[in-house]
Amino acid sequence: MIPLLLACSSSNSEPSWKAINGVDVSRFLRIPYMSAPIAATPGQTMTLTFEVVDRERDDIEILIPKAPPGLTVDKGKLGATWDVPQDYWDSFELEVIAMDEHGAFEVVYVPFEIDGGTWQDDTGGLGAGTWLYGLADVSTGFDGELALIEQTEDVDCTWYWPETSLVATVEDCDVCDRAWEVTATGGTTADGDCADVAMATETFPPTRVGFAATYSFRGYELTNVVLTEVEDYGWAPVGEGTLVDDTLEFIAPLESPEE
């Protein structure tokens, strides 16, 4: 599983997504997600408008790390322009980052429906996939809980592991302030139907998780980043997290294992 990137700040609040092209950004367990996809047509020139608020009224920059062909961000503005290619038929999900001038940021994953296309990997809806939420006391171990949320066109599942435990303290993450190998047990359905969710198992597999109060990523100094170890890559930024008074809380999108 390869979680992706999010972050926040304890001393400076992160920006908060509100809407994109008039489509509300909703929240579930504090996870921002689009309440509906954005429609596009091959050959269309479309304008994207981003509504973001910042408690400190900091300047906001929009970053789209994996922009599709023809998409350009309007520098200094909360917007972008996309000349949709004539042969661009696959519907997809776009990672959009709102970052303030202090490096605090929030990510939302925006589903696009391209006329004539189909959802890639049969995903869509809430965050177009699977999310992991964690809360643990790390003062002497890793005592807390994990929750798995999978929302697609066909699946609505919240799976819950009420008992986390520390497998080992990790010492080989040079970019982490602290790191742990953790597992969890007692998995059960908390909401929805999890019968067909591959990751909804009684035991959460041992996973290495790290935390860094600051982290340099593609020239940006990020704050409060959660990391994990990715095969053939090393430690990678994975999610939004806070570590306050030995309480770790984090959220990260996941890729389900191939069946």
Side-chain angles (χ1 to χ4, degrees), residues 1-246:
M1 57 185 178
I2 304 176
L4 304 178
L5 174 68
L6 299 164
C8 64
S9 173
S10 56
S11 58
N12 168 65
S13 63
E14 70 273 13
S16 178
W17 281 102
K18 294 301 179 185
I20 297 178
N21 277 30
V23 178
D24 290 340
V25 174
S26 302
R27 292 180 184 272
F28 181 77
L29 289 179
R30 303 199 311 182
I31 302 168
Y33 69 94
M34 293 293 294
S35 55
I38 304 260
T41 302
Q44 171 190 9
T45 296
M46 69 181 307
T47 299
L48 299 174
T49 56
F50 306 122
E51 184 178 343
V52 185
V53 297
D54 186 90
R55 185 179 303 172
E56 292 81 21
R57 298 185 179 181
D58 293 329
D59 291 336
I60 303 298
E61 181 178 4
I62 299 297
L63 304 172
I64 304 179
K66 297 180 180 179
L71 191 148
T72 57
V73 176
D74 300 330
K75 296 298 184 181
K77 299 180 181 179
L78 295 180
T81 302
W82 187 24
D83 294 322
V84 186
Q86 288 284 354
D87 58 352
Y88 208 82
W89 290 98
D90 284 335
S91 295
F92 70 105
E93 185 182 54
L94 189 66
E95 176 188 12
V96 185
I97 304 170
M99 178 182 292
D100 73 14
E101 58 195 270
H102 304 291
F105 63 96
E106 184 173 70
V107 172
V108 67
Y109 291 86
V110 184
F112 279 81
E113 281 187 347
I114 310 298
D115 290 348
T118 57
W119 286 106
Q120 291 180 342
D121 301 324
D122 296 324
T123 59
L126 171 61
T130 308
W131 300 81
L132 181 69
Y133 169 81
L135 178 66
D137 178 353
V138 295
S139 57
T140 58
F142 200 93
D143 303 318
E145 58 190 4
L146 295 177
L148 177 76
I149 305 102
E150 183 159 324
Q151 299 279 342
T152 71
E153 289 185 316
D154 302 316
V155 177
D156 182 358
C157 162
T158 301
W159 184 263
Y160 178 60
W161 292 277
E163 300 177 10
T164 60
S165 60
L166 180 70
V167 176
T169 300
V170 176
E171 304 291 347
D172 62 355
C173 179
D174 295 337
V175 295
C176 302
D177 297 336
R178 299 173 67 178
W180 313 263
E181 185 174 356
V182 304
T183 186
T185 57
T188 186
T189 299
D191 189 41
D193 183 0
C194 300
D196 297 325
V197 176
M199 297 182 68
T201 56
E202 195 281 334
T203 300
F204 182 75
T207 300
R208 285 154 66 94
V209 176
F211 175 82
T214 60
Y215 180 82
S216 180
F217 178 74
R218 296 178 182 173
Y220 291 94
E221 292 298 322
L222 311 181
T223 56
N224 287 0
V225 177
V226 172
L227 305 101
T228 196
E229 195 171 36
V230 178
E231 186 177 358
D232 298 326
Y233 179 85
W235 287 88
V238 300
E240 170 186 31
T242 57
L243 179 58
V244 180
D245 296 331
D246 283 323

